[in-house]
Amino acid sequence: MRNVLAAAVFGLTMISTAALAGPGHSHAPVTKEAAAEMAAKKRDQLVNAGKLDKSWSGVKISGVEQKAFAKGPEWVITFRNDTIPDQTKRTLYMFYALDGHYLASNFTGK
């Protein structure tokens, strides 16, 4: 009886864990092109939310590369906006996990 109960609990645990994963929770790496597309959408969201100046809207991507950081590799997508007076704010860096999850944006690249 104890073995049957243990097997039932184990089975329910496995079913509930699989249910939590659900669709859209893939951990497969995204392509360079997909990372670029996600970053362009995020750039527009930040502009629409007022977190970036409107001059960033439509600025083309100037680079997409994978970089190694202390916590592992990430996609780094850069945008260059030469209309910004402050030279330290002309390059926008967006960071994505390799599976496509947005991590952060800044003007330092770090």
Side-chain angles (χ1 to χ4, degrees), residues 2-15:
R2 181 181 286 168
N3 289 340
V4 172
L5 183 59
V9 169
F10 178 75
L12 288 173
T13 302
M14 296 308 289
I15 290 170

Side-chain angles (χ1 to χ4, degrees), residues 59-87:
V59 170
K60 295 186 189 282
I61 293 171
S62 59
V64 180
E65 62 182 319
Q66 278 188 31
K67 285 190 175 180
F69 292 96
K71 293 185 178 182
E74 297 175 7
W75 284 113
V76 180
I77 299 90
T78 56
F79 297 85
R80 177 93 176 145
N81 185 351
D82 290 325
T83 66
I84 301 294
D86 184 348
Q87 289 187 5

Side-chain angles (χ1 to χ4, degrees), residues 39-61:
K41 287 180 184 177
K42 186 64 172 181
R43 177 211 53 217
D44 292 340
Q45 288 174 350
L46 293 171
V47 168
N48 291 334
K51 295 183 179 188
L52 281 177
D53 186 76
K54 290 184 180 195
S55 66
W56 284 99
S57 184
V59 170
K60 295 186 189 282
I61 293 171

Side-chain angles (χ1 to χ4, degrees), residues 16-38:
S16 64
T17 302
L20 290 175
H25 288 83
S26 172
H27 294 285
V30 297
T31 64
K32 181 177 184 177
E33 293 78 15
E37 186 176 319
M38 288 184 280

